Amino acid sequence: MMNVSRPRSARRAELLAAGAATVTVVLWASAFVSIRSAGAAYSPGALALGRLTAGVLVLGAICLWRREGIPPRSAWRGILVSGVLWFGFYMVALNWGEQQVDAGTAALVVNVGPILIALLGARLLRDSVPPRLLAGMAVSFAGAVTVGLSMSGEGGSSVLGVVLCLLAAMAYAAGVVAQKPALGTGSPLQVTTYGCLVGAVVCLPFAGQLVREAADAPVSATLNMVYLGVFPTALAFTTWAYALTRTTASRMGATTYAVPALVVLMSWLALGEVPGPLTLLGGALCLAGVAVSRSRAGTGTRAGSGAAGPAGTVPAPPGPEEDREGTPGVREAPDAREARPDRASGSM
């Protein structure tokens, strides 16, 4: 009975992580469209502060309800770095970039981030980078390059937009890699809430702009800003952190390559923006890369075990301890083992 329950628990954990990652991808895709819409009334810094403020209020209320408490001291380094780079700088740079290029193009350019995550994760977190993951990222990266080429003839403002989106991608990658060790000791909700709070503090210099612009902004733009804070920030960043605790930073980064294709569809439906043929080709390449990076090698079951575990996990030996979420019987396989926070913290 014990041998049967462990694979079931492992599959359940994998499904929960996959579901959390799917929620993140869909909501982050919608964020590119909402940013484009709200950006007509709000400047980049004001929009970032308004979004983060709404996110902090929602996450703070959930933390109080769940009595989460303050993250442990060992998690604060990663929280501070990810808060400044990912929640703060990334959002301002992305908002500014989307004022220069359409939502689909912004999503495609920002998604060079997973390549950077893989490189940083291998160097700082000792992530392994399997051949299938490398191949998928190469295909998706070709899609991002295609987007850059499609924008090359549209003037200086478009070039500025691409550069801003690339800077956002760098901040995103560094924030993810910094966040991973923090999730070793802090809960996903704690790490997300306090990272969001740090980002809001970083954006406080834009408070005056936010007050002035909110007085004149149409209701639809303000509602988009609140939506960004509640769903793509409070909910999606939490589901991201939950999934990240159960896989490597590189694999999670590769999953977000599905975002651009969704953004192209959403921006067409909501904003009437249809990128050109090269941009659409880039989106197709990005999706193909995700399919390759998330595919499994055709390996058989392990000797002596009744069933193979999910990708990146194997059944644990008798007598394992339960993890923080109460999922027993799963430990990381050698090719997906993350460095523990006490070893990784010295690298960030």
Side-chain angles (χ1 to χ4, degrees), residues 12 36 52 56 65 90 131 148 183 198 230 242 249 252 290 295 307 338:
R12 178 176 177 272
R36 182 74 170 169
L52 290 167
V56 167
W65 176 60
Y90 166 83
L183 290 167
V198 170
V230 175
Y242 175 86
M252 277 300 293
V290 172
S295 63
E338 295 291 332

Side-chain angles (χ1 to χ4, degrees), residues 6 16 25 45 71 86 99 116-117 128 157 227 240 249 298 307 315 333 340:
R6 286 190 187 117
L16 288 174
V25 166
W86 196 7
Q99 292 182 352
L116 302 177
I117 291 173
S128 63
S157 62
Y227 169 82
W240 164 276
R340 295 300 175 202

Side-chain angles (χ1 to χ4, degrees), residues 44-60 76 79-92 191-208 210 229 233 237:
L47 179 57
L49 178 59
R51 172 181 179 175
L52 290 167
T53 300
V56 167
L57 291 175
V58 172
L59 289 167
W76 272 102
I79 289 173
L80 289 172
V81 174
S82 64
V84 171
L85 293 179
W86 196 7
F87 288 88
F89 180 85
Y90 166 83
M91 291 192 182
V92 175
V191 172
T192 303
T193 300
Y194 285 88
C196 189
L197 178 60
V198 170
V201 171
V202 169
C203 292
L204 279 178
F206 303 108
L210 176 60
T233 302
F237 274 79

Side-chain angles (χ1 to χ4, degrees), residues 235-317:
L235 177 56
F237 274 79
T238 302
T239 52
W240 164 276
Y242 175 86
L244 185 58
T245 60
R246 287 153 177 79
T247 188
T248 66
S250 301
R251 287 191 179 278
M252 277 300 293
T255 301
T256 63
Y257 272 127
V259 169
L262 293 175
V263 172
V264 169
L265 175 62
M266 291 179 182
S267 62
W268 172 59
L269 294 175
L271 304 177
E273 294 180 347
V274 181
L278 280 178
T279 305
L280 293 174
L281 174 62
L285 288 173
C286 287
L287 284 178
V290 172
V292 173
S293 65
R294 300 298 294 181
S295 63
R296 301 181 185 181
T299 56
T301 59
R302 287 166 49 92
S305 66
T313 62
V314 294

Side-chain angles (χ1 to χ4, degrees), residues 28-39 90 94-111 147 151 154 158 161-162 165 228 258-276 279-280 283:
W28 280 357
S30 72
F32 284 92
V33 179
S34 289
I35 289 170
R36 182 74 170 169
S37 180
Y90 166 83
L94 178 60
N95 294 344
W96 190 4
E98 282 212 52
Q99 292 182 352
Q100 311 296 324
V101 297
D102 62 79
T105 299
L108 288 163
V109 176
V110 166
N111 271 274
V147 175
M151 295 296 296
E154 298 190 16
S158 295
V162 172
C165 290
L228 286 167
V259 169
L262 293 175
V263 172
V264 169
L265 175 62
M266 291 179 182
S267 62
W268 172 59
L269 294 175
L271 304 177
E273 294 180 347
V274 181
T279 305
L280 293 174

